[in-house]
Amino acid sequence: MLFDSLTFLIAFPVFTVVFLNAPAWIQPRLMLLGSLVACATFGWVSLVWLILVTLIGFHFGRSIESAASTQRLWAAILLLLAPLLLLKYTDFVIDAIDSALAYFATPLIRPRFNFSLPVGISFYTFVVLGYVIDVHVSRTRAERSIANFALFTAFYPKLVAGPVERQADFSPQIDTPKRFDYARVTDGMRIIGSGLFKKLVVADRLSVVVNGVYANPDAYGGTALILTSLCYMFQLYYDFCGYSEIAVGSAKVLGYDLIWNFNRPYAARSISDYWRRWHISLTSWFFEYVFAPVSALLRRRRRMAVICGLLATFLVSGLWHGARWTFICYGLVHGIAISIDYLTARPRKRFRRWIPAPLYASLAWAITFAFVACADVLFRSDSIMATRAYLYRAITGLAPDLRFLTQHHFSAASMKALIAGLPIPKMDLVLALGTIVVIELAGYWGRERPFRQILAIQPLWIRWPAYYLVAGAIVYLGSQNAATMFIYMKY
């Protein structure tokens, strides 16, 4: 049951009314039942894996707390990661071995399992893994109730693609009675509306351009390829940010608070700043459970310990996204970039004194934005060679396009000619790009206070037309898109 499906849009209000009017003592069990039923809509396999991981986490949490043991911790880690590694990486490892043996002309029987990845397994496995580690280091107490722990693991708004919550933050909310709160419900609905708008009106429309161009990049010039790479940046962002906002808004309506997962990442002025703003819950998870142990293990090496910790963190992050060399390279590229950012902190600080602050900020933003755009090509491409070919064609094709525009004095007709082959009506593209500008400006104005809260205190004649405009765009423009899965549901 996807957030942007008609089933969810009907079932969620009905469940909310029943849930908020149920006796307090039954609400946690009712929420657990609803979450398990929602998970079961993706197939019984997804439900079985969820239950299995939940039982492993609950058992080892109690066991480790009663008798702290490194062996038990490692047993828990292996048992929790085994299903994820088996389902996600078996075929990748077989292909890697086969490619290595091919150099020696050694025949190899190449079975392919093509396991179906249970929905959300990458996310809830990390949620449970973090919980077990926290119990081991006495950062949190083991959950005593199997039902409460199951709800922590299976809570539907965060189940499929996060946010990656911590048990210490979520579990205290479980037994708190939930009742209808007008301010909370309306704020949650505004967040849900924002998420649906970003997904259906922006991300899904940009996907038409991205999918069409990436299917045959050789058919397009430099300008079209660069524009497509920018479209993919914002498709990826608005798709995932949209999902996270729907999750946060749905939880808020039901009386739960989840982590806010994004903070204007494309406004970042360094790659480290970008990762503090992008997928905040998962990034903090990687830094706490990968970077911290690795850098602590090598702490006598000082700066080298930090570099090794950063490279290990982003290598694991790349692998987490999927079993592809492009993801591994994506992680390593970001790891190298953030290591350079760390090593050049002092020289950049001195350099900053010699140029005007606005100029430095603009240069830092432009470099970061361009780097992320290029790295996202690697994330989207099917292979490293395809990435190389795409970037090469985009960069070398830009000069001829600029000469063409100069010869035609940058006329509107010449600009249209350069993007004439893009697989989307021009008005749809203009609409999507214009909407991005509006959303980013709203985010800029809402730096100190969320824009939805600013809108909520406006007069009725301003507030309600804005609501109807957003709702109308979701219904009308969203209905014209082909059904697309949230991108991070694949990981």
Side-chain angles (χ1 to χ4, degrees):
M1 183 168 59
L2 300 175
F3 281 155
D4 57 344
S5 67
L6 182 61
T7 304
F8 177 80
L9 295 178
I10 294 173
F12 179 70
V14 173
F15 178 81
T16 299
V17 171
V18 174
F19 175 76
L20 293 179
N21 287 282
W25 65 270
I26 204 174
Q27 283 182 331
R29 309 301 174 256
L30 186 60
M31 180 58 66
L32 175 59
L33 177 62
S35 296
L36 293 176
V37 169
C39 178
T41 62
F42 294 110
W44 67 269
V45 173
S46 293
L47 181 61
V48 168
W49 281 113
L50 172 62
I51 294 172
L52 176 63
V53 171
T54 300
L55 292 175
I56 293 172
F58 180 75
H59 167 74
F60 276 98
R62 297 289 300 273
S63 174
I64 290 171
E65 186 181 55
S66 63
S69 166
T70 304
Q71 288 77 15
R72 292 184 184 183
L73 174 64
W74 279 110
I77 291 173
L78 290 174
L79 282 174
L80 288 170
L81 288 179
L84 184 61
L85 297 174
L86 174 69
L87 297 173
K88 204 168 186 177
Y89 303 103
T90 300
D91 286 343
F92 176 72
V93 172
I94 292 173
D95 285 335
I97 294 172
D98 182 59
S99 298
L101 291 177
Y103 283 103
F104 304 99
T106 303
L108 177 69
I109 297 175
R110 296 165 45 181
R112 289 300 177 273
F113 297 97
N114 295 319
F115 290 122
S116 177
L117 198 64
V119 170
I121 188 172
S122 296
F123 286 92
Y124 62 71
T125 296
F126 275 27
V127 166
V128 175
L129 192 59
Y131 159 77
V132 170
I133 296 172
D134 284 348
V135 171
H136 177 73
V137 299
S138 301
R139 192 177 292 139
T140 189
R141 295 195 63 189
E143 180 60 65
R144 297 297 189 270
S145 167
I146 180 63
N148 282 8
F149 183 76
L151 179 54
F152 160 64
T153 305
F155 184 60
Y156 184 69
K158 70 176 183 62
L159 173 67
V160 175
V164 180
E165 288 288 325
R166 306 295 176 85
Q167 186 262 358
D169 297 326
F170 185 84
S171 290
Q173 303 181 57
I174 292 177
D175 293 321
T176 304
K178 309 296 189 294
R179 290 292 176 258
F180 178 81
D181 182 319
Y182 179 79
R184 187 181 186 90
V185 169
T186 53
D187 191 41
M189 293 302 295
R190 281 189 288 268
I191 298 172
I192 293 172
S194 172
L196 286 171
F197 186 88
K198 289 176 179 177
K199 164 63 176 172
L200 296 175
V201 177
V202 185
D204 282 357
R205 301 185 87 72
L206 293 178
S207 71
V208 177
V209 178
V210 173
N211 294 339
V213 172
Y214 270 90
N216 186 23
D218 292 340
Y220 301 92
T223 300
L225 293 178
I226 290 173
L227 179 59
T228 300
S229 67
L230 297 179
C231 286
Y232 180 65
M233 282 182 71
F234 284 98
Q235 180 204 352
L236 182 65
Y237 172 42
Y238 284 127
D239 189 282
F240 197 15
C241 180
Y243 176 92
S244 295
E245 289 188 3
I246 299 170
V248 171
S250 301
K252 198 175 191 69
V253 169
L254 294 167
Y256 297 85
D257 293 314
L258 299 181
I259 298 170
W260 196 263
N261 229 5
F262 292 89
N263 180 22
R264 300 177 59 238
Y266 295 150
R269 296 177 182 176
S270 69
I271 195 62
S272 56
D273 185 28
Y274 170 79
W275 282 105
R276 283 190 291 267
R277 296 166 175 264
W278 178 272
H279 201 350
I280 297 168
S281 64
L282 186 61
T283 300
S284 63
W285 192 99
F286 279 122
F287 271 84
E288 186 162 342
Y289 299 111
V290 180
F291 173 79
V294 172
S295 57
L297 186 65
L298 303 172
R299 57 184 175 276
R300 292 185 180 180
R301 300 284 183 174
R302 297 187 178 179
R303 300 185 81 182
M304 184 55 66
V306 175
I307 299 302
C308 290
L310 290 171
L311 291 175
T313 298
F314 283 94
L315 176 60
V316 173
S317 171
L319 277 168
W320 175 87
H321 282 93
R324 277 204 335 233
W325 288 110
T326 51
F327 290 143
I328 295 173
C329 290
Y330 174 83
L332 286 175
V333 163
H334 273 281
I336 292 169
I338 204 168
S339 297
I340 293 172
D341 183 74
Y342 166 73
L343 292 172
T344 60
R346 290 182 182 177
R348 284 186 288 111
K349 188 175 182 180
R350 289 194 295 268
F351 177 69
R352 200 162 42 203
R353 299 172 185 168
W354 296 96
I355 63 174
L359 177 59
Y360 180 87
S362 299
L363 285 172
W365 172 82
I367 292 170
T368 303
F369 188 85
F371 171 80
V372 172
C374 291
D376 281 353
V377 174
L378 184 61
F379 190 87
R380 176 61 178 77
S381 298
D382 294 328
S383 69
I384 295 173
M385 293 303 295
T387 302
R388 179 182 176 279
Y390 187 104
L391 291 175
Y392 179 81
R393 188 172 180 83
I395 294 170
T396 57
L398 188 58
D401 287 353
L402 287 175
R403 284 197 298 270
F404 175 80
L405 289 173
T406 303
Q407 291 168 0
H408 293 82
H409 307 290
F410 291 88
S411 65
S414 65
M415 294 181 184
K416 288 181 180 179
L418 291 180
I419 61 173
L422 290 178
I424 187 174
K426 299 301 172 290
M427 281 307 300
D428 283 17
L429 182 60
V430 170
L431 177 65
L433 296 178
T435 303
I436 289 173
V437 172
V438 172
I439 294 174
E440 292 303 307
L441 285 175
Y444 177 79
W445 290 327
R447 297 189 311 280
E448 303 299 328
R449 186 180 187 183
F451 184 76
R452 71 179 190 279
Q453 294 181 4
I454 297 174
L455 180 62
I457 61 175
Q458 300 305 309
L460 193 69
W461 61 274
I462 294 178
R463 189 169 70 249
W464 277 100
Y467 294 158
Y468 280 117
L469 180 63
V470 170
I474 291 171
V475 173
Y476 177 69
L477 296 176
S479 65
Q480 296 181 19
N481 300 324
T484 58
M485 181 185 293
F486 286 96
I487 292 174
Y488 265 74
M489 283 186 66
K490 298 182 292 185
Y491 308 134

